[in-house]
Each structure stands twice: as C-alpha cells, then as structure tokens.
Amino acid sequence: MTIDSVQPRREGALPPHRVVLNARSMPAYAYGHRSPIWWGTVGFAAAEGMGFALAIGAYFYLVFINGNWPLSAPPPDLFWSGLFTIVMLASAWPNSLAKRNGEREDLVRSRRDLVIMSLVGLVLLGIRVMEFTGLHVRWDQNAYGSILWVLLGLHTLHLVTDLGDTIVLTVLMFTRHGHGKRFSDVGDNAFYWYFVIASWVPIYLIIYWFPRWW
Amino acid sequence: MTQAITAHERDAVPEVTRLATGERGGAPGITSEADRPPDPQELRDDQVDGPELTARLAKTWGTEKGLIGALSTVDHKVIGRRFIVTAIIFLFLGGLSAVVMRLQLAQPENNLVGPDLYNQLFTMHGVTMMFLFGVPIGEAFAVYLVPLMVGTRNIGFPRLNAFSYYVYLFGGLMIWVAFMRNIGPDVGWFAYVPLSGPEFSPGKRADVWAQMITFTEVSGIAIAISTVVTAFKLRAPGMTLDRIPLFVWAELVNSFVIIFALPAVVTASAFLLMDRLIGTHIFNPAEGGDALLYQHLFWFFGHPEVYIIFLPATGWVSAIVVTFARRQVFGYIPLVLSLIATGFLSFGLWVHHMFTTGLPQLGASFFTASSMLIAIPNGIQIFCWIATLWDGRPVFRAPLLFVIGFFFIFVAGGLSGIMLASVPLDTQVHDTFFVVAHFHYVLIGGNVFPLIGAIYYWFPKFTGRMMSERLGKWHFGLAFIGFNVAFFPMHITGLMGMPRRVYTYMPEMGWANLNMISTIGAVLFFGSFLLFLHNIVASARRGALAGPNPWNAGTLEWAAASPPMPQNFDRIPVVTNREPLWAHRDTLPVVAGLSVENREQIVSTVTAGRADLRETTPEPSIWPFLTAIATTILFIGSMFTPWAFVWGTPPLALALIGWFWPKPSTEDEK
Amino acid sequence: MKRLVPLLLIVTLALAGCQGWQSALDAHGPAAHTLANMFWIFVAVLGTVWFLTMAALLLALRRRRPVDADPLVTDPGTEKRMTMTISVAIGLTLVTVITFTGLSYAAQKVLYSHKDGALTLLVTGQQWWWEVTYEDEQPSRVFTTANEIHIPVGEPVLIKLEASDVIHSFWIPNLTGKMDAIPGRQNQIQIQADRPGLYRGQCAEFCGLQHAHMGIVVIADTREDFERWRDHQVSSAIAPNDPERQRGMEIFLSRPCIMCHQVRGTDAGGKVAPDLTHVGSRRTIGAGTLTTTRGNIAAWIVDPHGVKPGVNMPTIQLEPDEVQPLASYLEGLK
C-alpha cells in the first residue's frame, strides 16, 4: 500500500527535553512479577487455563446431557495414572529448587536442577504413554471416549511443550549463554511447570475418580 | 542536568522516589548480574543530545533494508502498519462480498449467484468481517499505538508480535485462496453442527473454516498478551493507572476479553475438526454428544467477540472526542469502570443467541436481564462523551464527524439490541433481517465509523501527511446516508418475515422494494469506501505535511515525530498528567541514562508506573517469520492428516529454538 | 437533515411492515398479538430514548461557549451539574431496563404456557422440507403429510419439533415466534389462529443449500372444515379411473419414485421424502417453491435441480410422453 511508500519526514518541532530522572543505576533485569516475561507467562497460562476450564465444562455438560456416565465403558485404570500423579506432585520439590537456585544465580545448582527436571519430564511422558493404554475406551467410540481423550491429550500437549522448553533451557545453561537474564528464564520455566502440575490435579480427579463417584 | 521545575502546579514533576522504585534486580544477599553497572564504553543518552541522538537511536532501533530485513523486523510500527493495511484490505474484500450478496437480493428470484456461491459469500463475508477484520483491526491499532501512547519504544514481546501478524496473514490468505478455488466454507461464520459436521459437510470446506479459526485465534491471543504486558509493564515513569490514556485502557480490557474468550472458539473449532477428521463424537447426539454444546462454546466466545470489536472503538472515540472537544474527558473513572464492567458482563450474555433453542425458561430470562444490564455501562460511556462535548469547544473536523455518526448509528443499534435481549421478542426477530440490521448498526456504527474517524485522526501520525478534509466531509455524508439507506429498511424486511441467509425469495413475499432500497444503499456505502481509498492514496502522496502534533492533542503519541522514528522517542517521557502534552507545553520531562547502542527500554511497576528496570528488548530476527511458516504448514497439513502433527512438529520446534536462542553478540536479549 | 432519513423511513416503511402474509406485526393469533404489542411498546420507549440522546448530543455540539480556554481547566459547578444529569439519566436507564426485563418475563410466561390442546402434531424439519404427523390416540387416525398444516381456528395446537438431519427453525410469524428443531432433541411450540386464513412461514435457521426454499403454510379452518380435511387425509389415495392417470400411476410405481415417497393405498412406501398420498390437495410443492399445478409438477419431476438447486430428489430419466401422465396422476391425488 501507499502508506509504506511515504518517506519519514520531520516537520515542525518536537518539544525540548527536560531530564528529571536517570536510569543508569536501574537493574537490567529482575525476577517474578517485576519481569515482563513473567506477565507473559501468566497471560498464556490464563488463556490455556481457560482452554482447560472449557474442556472440563464440556465434560460435565456431556455428563449432564447423558445422565449415565461413563456411558458404556468401564472407568479408566488407576495404576499408571496414580503413579503419574505421584511423580507429578513430587516434581514440585525439584521445581521449587530450580526456581530458588535460579534466583540465586547459582549456575552449578541450576544446571543440576534443570537436568533433574528434564529427566522427570521424560519419565512422566513415559508414564503418560502407559496411561493412554488403560483408558478402556477409544476416542471414536462415543462422546465419553472423545472428551476423555481430549482432556488427557490437552494435558499431554502442555507436558510435552514444557518438557521441550526445559530441555532447550538446560542445554542453553550448559553453553556460554548460561548467565544473567537466563536465570530469570529458569524461574519462568519453573513457574510454567507449576501450571502444568496445577492443571493436572482437577483433570486427574475428573478423568479417574469422577466416573467412579457418579 | 535537571532543570528547575516550573511553579505551575500541574507541570510539577514529582520527586524521583515517586518516579522510580530504586530497587535492586537480584535476590537479597545475592550479587546479581542484573545490578552490574552499565558498561562505561557504551554510549548513553545523557551523553549525547539533539539530531545526533536521534540519528544514533534510529540506527540502533531501525529495520534493515531488503526482503530479509523486512521479514525480520520487530518494530511495532512496521508490523502495526502492515496489520492495519491487511485488516483494511480484508474489510474491502468482506465489503465486496456483501455487495455481491446485495445485488443478488435486489430483486426476487434473481439469478446473479446460485445458492452454493451465495452460501460461500455470506460465510466469507461473516468470517472476513469478524475474524480477519473486526478482531485484528482493534489489535492492529493497539500494536501501533499502545507503545507510543504509554511512552515506550517497542511492544512487550516484539518477536511474538511479528509472528502473530504472519500467522494472521497466512490464515486469511488460506481461507481466501480456498474461496477462490471454490472450496470456501459455506456453513456460515458460526458453522453450527451438524450442518458443519462430517455427515452434512463432506469435503474440506468446513475444515478450512475451522483451521482459519486456529490461525486467527493463536494470533489474536498472542497479540492480546503482548498488549497487556505493554500496558502493564512498559508505561512511561509517572503514568499511574489513572493517567493511562482511555484508548490504552480500552485496548487493555479488550485484550483481557480476548485472552478469556478466544479459547472458547478454539475449543469449539478444535472439537469440530476432531469430529470431522478423527471420528470423535463430541457433537454427535447418536453417540452421547450434543449439538447445543457447540452453540454454547461458540457463543461463549461469540458474544464477547462483539465487545472485542467494540471496545477498541471506544478508545478511538475517547481519543477523538477529547482532542476535538478541546477539553479533558469528563468522567475518566466512570469511563474506565464502564470498560471493565463491559468486559466482565460480555461473558454473561452468550445465551441470548440461543433463545430459540428451547432452553429452560428461567435460565433464559436471567440472560435477558444480564443482556439488558449492559446498557448501563454503555450508557455511562455515551453520556460521558456527550458531557465532554457539552462542556468543550468542539472543532468539527472529519474525525469528529465520524464520531457523531457513531453516536447516531450505534445508539440506535444498541437500543434495538434491547429488543433482542427480550426472550419473547427475540423469538420473532431472531435469525431475520431485523437482526442483520441490528448488528450492522452496532458493528458498523460501533466499530467502522469510529475506525474511519481514527484513520482520519492518526493518519498524520502514521504517514506524516494530513488527509483531505474536503473529501473527508463528502466521505462522511455518503457513508452516513448509504449506511442508513442500506440497513434501516432491513429492520422492516425482517419484521415482514424475511429470514437471514436466504439466497433468494419469491415475488409474492412483498420484500422486493425494501430489498432494492437496501441494495442501493449498500452500493452507495461501498462507494463511500472507494472515496476513502482515494483519499488515503492521494493524501499519502500529496497531503499537507502534518508535523508531530497537527491536532494539538494531549497524549504521548503526538510527542513523537510524524511518522515516528524507529525509537519512537529520543528519551522516554515522564508523565504527570492524563494529557501530558497539554500539561507540558514548553518542555517534555524525560528519563535519561538509557543505552544509545542497545535496545533498552524502561520497565515500570504495574500500578504506580514507577520506573524499575532498564531492560533490553529483542533485536530483529527472521525466526518469527520462519516459525509462522512452520506453523502454517502444520495447521494446513493437519486438515488433511493427523500425521501432520508428527512431521510438522520438528520444523516448528527448530524454528522456535532458533527464535529463542540468544545471539552471540547480544547476550542479554531474549 | 441527515437524521431525517431514518425518520422518514420509519414513517413510510413501518406502516408497510404491519401487513404482509409473513409479517410478525400482522398478528393473527394470541401469541403474535402479545409479541406485536410488546414490540410497539419497546419501539415507543426506545425510540424516545434515542431521540432524547441525540437531542442532547446536538445541543452539546451547538452550544455557545467561550473560546480558547485551557483544555485542562474545568469548572467544578459544571462538573457537578453534568454528574447530576448523567446520574439521573443512568437511573432512568436502569428503571427502563428493569421494567423491560419484567415485561419480557411476563410475556415469556404467556408465550410458553402451553394449554391443553385438542391437537398434537409432530413436525420434523428435514433438508429442505417439513414432515408433519398428526398424532391421535387411535393409531389408524395417525397420518403424515408435508409442508402444510391445517388447524382448527381458535384452538391451541401443540407442535412437537424434531429434526432428522441438521438444525431447522419453525416459524409462522403471523401466529407466534420461532422455535428451533434440533437433531437429538425435541422442542415444543404452541400455535393458535384467531380467524380462518392462510399463514405462511419458513425455516429460520440456516440449514444448507436450499434454506431459502423451505416454506410451510398453516391453514386455519373452522372446526367442521378441519375435521372434513382430516378425515380425508386419514384415508388412502383413491385409485385413478381414467386411462391417462392410470398410466401415470404405473409409471410412478415402476420408477425409483417409490424408494423415497409414500402413497398410501399403493405399493409406494418410501419414507425419506414427502408423503404424496394427498399431494394434489396441497397448495404448494417443493416446500413452498411452486404452486401445485399440473405444469409445475411436470416441471419439478423433469428437472428438480433446475427448480431447487441441490434438492435431495434425484432427476429421474423419463420418456417425453411419460411426464404428462405422471404429473396428472400426482395432481389428481387430492
């Protein structure tokens, strides 16, 4: 469009400046809510949390429409899902260490914590694969099967995303880039992992326990 | 360096402790790299001044020449300009499809287009206007103007912003190319199941619709988050919550509505795609699913969507009313609270699109009450603007004319909305041309008229040149008359029983005259846009030079050059008033001490707007563009095979790693 | 001047809207009367609100005031007066909104309070026609027809709404508001006509290619006329007695027509398309697309897709001399 073709041009005077503040002594980055990235992470967690909430809403809507639940299938198995839940909840501890050591800008410990978190993520992914085998229903069998796979799939997507992020960050911390603002990224990555944990709890209860209580 | 503060009270700059936090970056007791003093070799803007500072900053913040440079740019103004132009091109395409529909309906049993093409046309019209124009245009203005108005140098996440634009562009191109190749969606912009489901829409048409949703919503959510972070964290020092320009407030509330509403339509379209492509049964009543679930999900997004389109327009109206009334806004706090209330209420109205589906009665009437209640915040806004004009000294220029047109049209549309909020009345007018008339009054009145006003208003800022005022007045007259001639009769056509989305009607129905009038109006209205286009093109070439502040307005974007330099401001302003340029007419209070060689900007606190950090913001990068390409391949591939997720993910992951991997030269940037 | 344009349109066109055979404002039943009255109340009040608001705007724009004041300086007295005025305006808005909500709820109660009717119909929306089944306690008096509903005048008639494929919406504007027909669900609506007459309606929810041609008529008759009509509809088709129509019947029964259509009293027992037992007695064919004449029936049979593009009826290969007998057979199914 022609808008692009217009040359920048300066006519008329801009008001002269009067310096009232100097930024030289301000820090170059900070942690938590002082950092824009943290707010961005919160924003994405909010949008994705809304996605979870809507999928859960759809689940209960289908329960309400049908009355009997879980339609014709037996409830899903508890073993692998239970193990997954235990490991998931337990991962909050190394995750909190990663966050703390990141904020202390302790490179050695941060590297160790990130390796642990990457391994934890891989283990969880393995358990998740096993979990899918114990659902006793296919996604194309009925609406119950569909929404079940949707919920579990949605959480798996977040698990995989954060695992990928963690692995890349781990590698990054072992390169010469592992200093300064990267430590702030370690904290934000840990924050997102908390979201993955927190979103699992309701989904676990809904997928595995709700059909038994209904 | 600091000059003496003038005695005039409103010019007074508060002491430094209220403008900056003075806090350290690292955790207590830790020697953090964040607190290292800046490199003494690095040139800072307290060491250089005038044209030299401008030129050096322009080099640091500039966009490289050439194609790679153009695709790598992260400048919010360049991206914002592309965004606005693209959205307006889609507005013209959507308008063109409307004109074809109007010509078909001009007389009964017309044979200009058949039912298949007609159904594609109204689907493309709705999809284009809602997803490719309505949502993006508000966000596009936010991308361009919010950083300028809050007094910073770039948007919160510049690379994410660039990525979002490309994803939006590719999504829009995909659906229009599909339409050109006769596989355009034909199930309406709302794509209700089961009509859009696997059984009744074989082929790829409905998939094109659903995947276009994914494109535009990914883009929309990402920009909304960038906008929120810009408005929260990148405000100029001193810009407390009650000094944020109303336009920025509107975009901020709008972004929150987007973040919470768009996931609903993504959920709906993802479920639809799964039902269509991998055989799930979420909407299939035969296997325990339900068709109305789709409607609930869709309208949980669909009603907030109306406010996503309207809220940015309130920002345009506020900005124009204040500038052309030559008075600071009356009722700033009520206006902000109204925006927030509108944002919240917009999530409590969706069922009024489903009054005829046989829902429980008491539930339905709850939604009558909530739908009518939204008249309160909207009423407050309208009254406050009128009061501002009442006590001001209005200057009748083109932007204000379009805002006056907005009042006439939007208020009428809002009032007919009260009728639709009533369950019993809705049973008569729902899905008729009455509704078509209503929401065009709301959306064209509430978005397009303010938008045109906004373009006349900010065009000098975007291009450095004024638009023709004479053509602007003709444009307004033609648009106002054309619009009303086109859409007012539709109220009557609808009451006379004409349903929406019919490709023809029979002569004995008695709708022919009204439809002919509507068509004439539509052609006039479209003609007004051609005049607009001519004005834009001619003014961009030969318009009078604008200067930084041609309207003598009060907000910070007018403290930048026209068009703004890549760095926006040579130094970040300090804000002491809602209308900083009205408060400080002689000199602009500013912050110094930022790097001239690196892309540094001020990060401030959310509520008090106190300067906290001097953080670097990302350099240009080709990776967001490549990521958008990889995303497009994945999305389009997944319409044809679920395996696209397997082979489409590695390129996407690689592109993302490229995006986030730090460049060797600039360690600190992300 | 410009604001006179909508004003003039209101005056001239609103009057036109009161008439018309599918008009919501031309009420011929108690529900439609309630809705039309309510509509006019809303128009009156909301129209007044619009005029007052625009008057305020115009006054604000035309007001004389001192020039060249500081835009940041405001007069506390003026601010206070404006606050008061706006508060009153918002208070009035709230009162209006609450009143309207109450009014709306009351009308909703009336609209959905289904009285026990003498007659219950099952109407099934299909792409793109309406199947109408008259329910009865005696199974032998249950019958099915299409696209035309007969009702006795002055009596409430309950209609159960279903859909066999996609969502449709049943709407007879002269009698009452619309109600959706949704697959997997059943909705109910009640219609009642004040006086004998013919009331047209059409599908109001977009349902695919021929959404535009999915009409239905409601014919309100006196009770006696209605009973006579019903007794006739219950009966099977009368076999033709002239040679041309007999030939037409043979053609009909030997072609794929019978795969989809039913003519009670013959071997034709298809259930997916409209029941043709008394098609000749109906006013239109193709769901309100053409009036029922021999010529139109012939045109429809020869080229259904020319008349109604996308319709589910296939084009049947017929010899040129077969069309006329078939059309007259069908037209004679009174």
Side-chain angles (χ1 to χ4, degrees):
Chain A
M1 289 277 304
T2 48
I3 288 178
D4 290 274
S5 68
V6 175
Q7 293 300 313
R9 188 184 283 271
R10 299 191 53 179
E11 291 285 326
L14 289 166
H17 289 176
R18 169 166 53 113
V19 175
V20 296
L21 185 65
N22 198 301
R24 269 180 186 263
S25 59
M26 289 179 195
Y29 60 89
Y31 295 90
H33 67 87
R34 290 172 71 189
S35 149
I37 294 276
W38 185 87
W39 286 91
T41 314
V42 171
F44 276 104
E48 288 156 23
M50 193 68 201
F52 278 119
L54 288 159
I56 291 170
Y59 183 96
F60 284 114
Y61 182 94
L62 291 172
V63 172
F64 175 73
I65 287 287
N66 285 288
N68 71 319
W69 200 257
L71 294 179
S72 56
D77 287 348
L78 292 175
F79 177 73
W80 290 109
S81 57
L83 187 62
F84 182 91
T85 309
I86 291 166
V87 178
M88 189 94 217
L89 292 175
S91 72
W93 181 60
N95 193 50
S96 71
L97 285 184
K99 186 167 183 295
R100 201 181 60 197
N101 289 325
E103 282 173 15
R104 287 181 182 165
E105 306 197 6
D106 183 334
L107 184 61
V108 178
R109 288 214 173 99
S110 287
R111 283 175 174 170
R112 182 200 67 192
D113 296 339
L114 282 168
V115 169
I116 291 172
M117 285 310 294
S118 301
L119 292 175
V120 166
L122 287 170
V123 168
L124 281 170
L125 197 59
I127 303 176
R128 174 53 55 82
V129 172
M130 298 310 294
E131 212 181 319
F132 272 107
T133 64
L135 294 181
H136 301 306
V137 66
R138 275 170 58 93
W139 64 89
D140 55 0
Q141 193 170 321
N142 56 31
Y144 161 72
S146 305
I147 196 73
L148 187 62
W149 280 74
V150 163
L151 279 178
L152 205 54
L154 195 60
H155 190 263
T156 309
L157 185 68
H158 285 76
L159 181 67
V160 170
T161 311
D162 199 25
L163 176 60
D165 191 30
T166 308
I167 291 173
V168 172
L169 191 61
T170 308
V171 174
L172 197 58
M173 291 308 277
F174 279 95
T175 67
R176 63 200 165 83
H177 300 293
H179 68 93
K181 205 171 160 185
R182 294 286 90 69
F183 287 111
S184 176
D185 298 343
V186 174
D188 293 323
N189 185 56
F191 177 84
Y192 196 79
W193 186 255
Y194 282 132
F195 172 69
V196 176
I197 298 176
S199 59
W200 174 244
V201 175
I203 290 179
Y204 171 67
L205 292 175
I206 289 165
I207 291 183
Y208 293 96
W209 291 100
F210 176 76
R212 292 178 157 82
W213 296 330
W214 180 254
Chain B
M1 273 208 98
T2 308
Q3 291 185 6
I5 292 165
T6 54
H8 198 306
E9 191 244 340
R10 68 163 193 250
D11 283 352
V13 176
E15 64 275 24
V16 167
T17 50
R18 279 176 59 196
L19 291 175
T21 59
E23 282 178 36
R24 295 179 67 252
I30 306 293
T31 315
S32 170
E33 266 186 62
D35 299 312
R36 225 183 254 171
D39 182 357
Q41 302 297 316
E42 195 181 10
L43 187 67
R44 305 225 143 233
D45 64 9
D46 47 12
Q47 296 162 306
V48 53
D49 203 2
E52 193 196 345
L53 175 63
T54 309
R56 281 175 178 270
L57 280 169
K59 189 163 173 295
T60 303
W61 288 83
T63 294
E64 301 254 337
K65 294 224 182 319
L67 185 64
I68 300 293
L71 295 178
S72 304
T73 186
V74 291
D75 186 334
H76 75 99
K77 298 177 293 299
V78 178
I79 299 289
R81 201 167 58 197
R82 288 179 195 167
F83 225 130
I84 293 171
V85 170
T86 311
I88 288 177
I89 289 173
F90 281 125
L91 171 69
F92 274 85
L93 286 174
L96 209 54
S97 53
V99 168
V100 178
M101 286 192 286
R102 271 325 314 171
L103 292 175
Q104 161 68 12
L105 291 179
Q107 43 186 333
E109 300 198 322
N110 201 356
N111 282 322
L112 182 69
V113 294
D116 182 63
L117 181 56
Y118 189 87
N119 290 354
Q120 287 187 66
L121 278 170
F122 77 67
T123 304
M124 289 304 290
H125 174 71
V127 160
T128 304
M129 290 307 197
M130 295 307 242
F131 296 109
L132 302 177
F133 164 71
V135 180
I137 192 70
E139 297 200 310
F141 267 77
V143 166
Y144 196 106
L145 287 173
V146 165
L148 280 162
M149 280 190 162
V150 301
T152 188
R153 285 175 171 164
N154 210 345
I155 196 164
F157 304 119
R159 291 186 179 179
L160 185 65
N161 184 43
F163 164 79
S164 302
Y165 169 71
Y166 296 121
V167 167
Y168 153 70
L169 176 68
F170 296 153
L173 283 178
M174 177 196 73
I175 198 168
W176 273 92
V177 167
F179 174 68
M180 300 298 176
R181 299 192 55 220
N182 197 29
I183 45 169
D186 58 350
V187 288
W189 82 281
F190 49 98
Y192 273 4
V193 291
L195 184 61
S196 63
E199 194 179 349
F200 299 100
S201 286
K204 285 288 156 207
R205 286 179 164 185
D207 301 312
V208 170
W209 176 86
Q211 206 58 297
M212 184 279 315
I213 298 289
T214 320
F215 275 99
T216 51
E217 311 313 85
V218 163
S219 156
I221 292 172
I223 298 169
I225 289 169
S226 303
T227 306
V228 167
V229 172
T230 311
F232 271 2
K233 294 299 289 175
L234 300 180
R235 299 203 306 275
M239 189 180 277
T240 51
L241 284 183
D242 63 346
R243 289 179 189 149
I244 297 178
L246 282 167
F247 172 81
V248 177
W249 265 115
E251 293 284 5
L252 181 63
V253 174
N254 191 44
S255 298
F256 274 106
V257 176
I258 287 172
I259 290 170
F260 290 107
L262 262 47
V265 71
V266 178
T267 307
S269 69
F271 286 179
L272 175 63
L273 273 177
M274 288 189 282
D275 270 16
R276 289 178 57 83
L277 299 177
I278 58 168
T280 56
H281 298 289
I282 298 167
F283 302 131
N284 176 10
E287 293 291 348
D290 184 53
L292 279 191
L293 172 59
Y294 179 88
Q295 297 192 16
H296 281 293
L297 286 170
F298 185 82
W299 290 115
F300 188 79
F301 146 81
H303 202 83
E305 162 82 351
V306 175
Y307 294 94
I308 290 169
I309 292 174
F310 174 60
L311 283 170
T314 67
W316 300 327
V317 171
S318 292
I320 292 170
V321 162
V322 169
T323 297
F324 292 92
R326 313 300 313 150
R327 183 202 192 277
Q328 64 172 329
V329 77
F330 172 77
Y332 176 88
I333 302 280
L335 279 169
V336 171
L337 293 179
S338 298
L339 285 172
I340 295 170
T342 308
F344 274 105
L345 276 175
S346 71
F347 287 95
L349 316 177
W350 82 94
V351 171
H352 76 216
H353 296 266
M354 300 168 63
F355 280 162
T356 64
T357 57
L359 293 171
Q361 276 192 55
L362 197 65
S365 44
F366 166 80
F367 285 93
T368 295
S370 63
S371 304
M372 288 192 183
L373 210 58
I374 204 145
I376 301 295
N378 281 332
I380 291 174
Q381 288 175 298
I382 298 283
F383 297 146
C384 285
W385 288 322
I386 293 180
T388 308
L389 288 165
W390 172 275
D391 194 40
R393 287 154 294 278
V395 183
F396 292 93
R397 303 293 294 271
L400 187 62
L401 290 183
F402 281 97
V403 166
I404 293 168
F406 148 81
F407 280 112
F408 276 79
I409 296 168
F410 176 75
V411 173
L415 293 173
S416 63
I418 300 257
M419 297 189 190
L420 298 175
S422 157
V423 176
L425 278 187
D426 187 62
T427 63
Q428 281 289 26
V429 291
H430 178 72
D431 268 341
T432 69
F433 264 81
F434 186 91
V435 174
V436 177
H438 156 72
F439 70 73
H440 282 93
Y441 267 74
V442 169
L443 295 178
I444 295 183
N447 175 284
V448 178
F449 271 76
L451 167 71
I452 299 170
I455 291 175
Y456 277 91
Y457 180 56
W458 278 296
F459 188 85
K461 183 52 58 188
F462 298 157
T463 66
R465 289 174 187 272
M466 305 298 287
M467 283 180 78
S468 160
E469 188 67 23
R470 192 176 56 85
L471 281 181
K473 285 188 170 131
W474 278 101
H475 174 199
F476 170 71
L478 195 56
F480 190 81
I481 292 170
F483 172 83
N484 284 296
V485 172
F487 290 100
F488 190 81
M490 289 185 193
H491 290 109
I492 323 257
T493 335
L495 289 166
M496 286 176 74
M498 184 164 171
R500 298 167 75 174
R501 306 179 180 121
V502 290
Y503 75 99
T504 192
Y505 54 93
M506 284 182 294
E508 61 264 32
M509 299 312 298
W511 303 329
N513 291 339
L514 289 165
N515 273 295
M516 181 55 92
I517 295 173
S518 286
T519 301
I520 293 169
V523 171
L524 284 179
F525 191 46
F526 192 77
S528 79
F529 278 85
L530 297 179
L531 195 61
F532 182 43
L533 192 63
H534 167 72
N535 197 354
I536 289 178
V537 173
S539 304
R541 288 190 187 156
R542 296 184 298 273
L545 291 179
N549 193 358
W551 310 115
N552 195 10
T555 38
L556 280 179
E557 77 274 27
W558 305 104
S562 297
M565 301 299 286
Q567 70 271 31
N568 290 352
F569 307 97
D570 288 351
R571 294 195 187 90
I572 302 293
V574 166
V575 173
T576 63
N577 191 291
R578 255 170 235 157
E579 307 287 344
L581 304 191
W582 284 350
H584 305 280
R585 291 184 190 167
D586 309 321
T587 58
L588 189 68
V590 293
V591 192
L594 290 183
S595 172
V596 177
E597 292 164 6
N598 281 308
R599 296 184 170 218
E600 266 185 6
Q601 53 187 19
I602 297 273
V603 173
S604 48
T605 59
V606 174
T607 50
R610 294 160 85 191
D612 190 24
L613 315 169
R614 42 162 190 88
E615 208 175 49
T616 49
T617 161
E619 302 277 326
S621 162
I622 191 69
W623 288 106
F625 176 73
L626 298 178
T627 309
I629 299 262
T631 308
T632 304
I633 292 169
L634 175 64
F635 283 173
I636 293 182
S638 66
M639 276 163 46
F640 296 93
T641 164
W643 290 103
F645 283 102
V646 177
W647 51 253
T649 306
L652 181 59
L654 278 178
L656 281 169
I657 291 170
W659 175 340
F660 287 106
W661 202 265
K663 261 168 76 176
S665 59
T666 50
E667 290 290 353
D668 283 338
E669 64 106 19
K670 180 176 178 186
Chain C
M1 263 313 285
K2 277 163 201 148
R3 81 208 137 92
L4 287 181
V5 175
L7 189 64
L8 287 173
L9 284 167
I10 288 175
V11 175
T12 50
L13 300 179
L15 296 170
C18 299
Q19 282 145 18
W21 74 324
Q22 195 169 301
S23 169
L25 300 182
D26 187 13
H28 286 271
H33 277 296
T34 309
L35 294 174
N37 290 339
M38 199 171 142
F39 173 81
W40 288 116
I41 294 171
F42 271 60
V43 168
V45 175
L46 298 173
T48 311
V49 173
W50 187 83
F51 275 105
L52 288 177
T53 313
M54 291 312 115
L57 174 67
L58 290 177
L59 283 175
L61 292 171
R62 294 176 68 89
R63 191 165 165 259
R64 290 168 181 278
R65 58 211 108 197
V67 283
D68 231 28
D70 186 325
L72 291 181
V73 173
T74 52
D75 171 38
T78 314
E79 296 260 317
K80 199 174 167 190
R81 279 195 298 279
M82 293 200 297
T83 308
M84 289 298 291
T85 314
I86 289 179
S87 304
V88 171
I90 290 297
L92 287 173
T93 311
L94 193 62
V95 170
T96 313
V97 162
I98 291 170
T99 313
F100 275 175
T101 307
L103 195 63
S104 174
Y105 189 61
Q108 191 184 345
K109 283 271 192 205
V110 173
L111 196 62
Y112 292 127
S113 60
H114 295 164
K115 283 170 261 172
D116 284 337
L119 200 56
T120 303
L121 275 59
L122 173 67
V123 172
T124 309
Q126 315 208 13
Q127 283 179 325
W128 291 275
W129 60 285
W130 304 93
E131 184 180 80
V132 182
T133 302
Y134 279 72
E135 300 193 337
D136 202 292
E137 285 167 10
Q138 290 172 263
S140 63
R141 285 184 62 80
V142 174
F143 67 92
T144 299
T145 177
N147 304 325
E148 194 170 296
I149 292 175
H150 287 246
I151 60 169
V153 110
E155 296 181 36
V157 176
L158 186 71
I159 295 181
K160 299 180 191 167
L161 284 167
E162 290 181 358
S164 67
D165 38 40
V166 304
I167 301 175
H168 303 276
S169 192
F170 179 86
W171 183 36
I172 314 291
N174 301 105
L175 301 184
T176 188
K178 61 185 71 64
M179 181 60 83
D180 292 354
I182 300 168
R185 287 171 177 255
Q186 188 183 71
N187 279 332
Q188 296 195 338
I189 189 172
Q190 188 165 277
I191 57 171
Q192 181 177 340
D194 292 334
R195 46 182 180 274
L198 191 148
Y199 308 108
R200 191 182 189 277
Q202 71 186 95
C203 177
E205 178 64 64
F206 176 63
C207 56
L209 276 182
Q210 282 301 333
H211 169 54
H213 290 125
M214 192 169 159
I216 187 163
V217 281
V218 172
I219 294 158
D221 284 327
T222 59
R223 187 80 204 182
E224 299 77 51
D225 286 348
F226 169 74
E227 288 299 346
R228 204 172 303 127
W229 174 86
R230 176 156 70 168
D231 289 342
H232 180 65
Q233 294 288 322
V234 170
S235 68
S236 297
I238 302 159
N241 47 18
D242 60 295
E244 191 192 34
R245 291 194 58 231
Q246 279 168 348
R247 174 141 188 268
M249 180 170 162
E250 281 164 25
I251 296 165
F252 181 78
L253 293 176
S254 61
R255 299 298 162 122
C257 313
I258 55 170
M259 305 297 288
C260 302
H261 291 286
Q262 181 172 39
V263 175
R264 277 173 275 132
T266 72
D267 291 340
K271 296 273 190 190
V272 299
D275 183 303
L276 299 179
T277 311
H278 298 288
V279 64
S281 74
R282 303 205 284 257
R283 275 164 178 70
T284 64
I285 57 169
T289 310
L290 297 171
T291 49
T292 312
T293 64
R294 191 177 303 181
N296 281 341
I297 292 175
W300 174 261
I301 294 168
V302 171
D303 186 15
H305 290 263
V307 178
K308 192 169 170 178
V311 69
N312 287 320
M313 176 156 153
T315 307
I316 307 292
Q317 287 304 314
L318 292 172
E319 299 302 322
D321 65 336
E322 289 176 332
V323 175
Q324 194 60 18
L326 183 53
S328 43
Y329 166 67
L330 292 171
E331 191 218 357
L333 291 172
K334 294 289 184 190

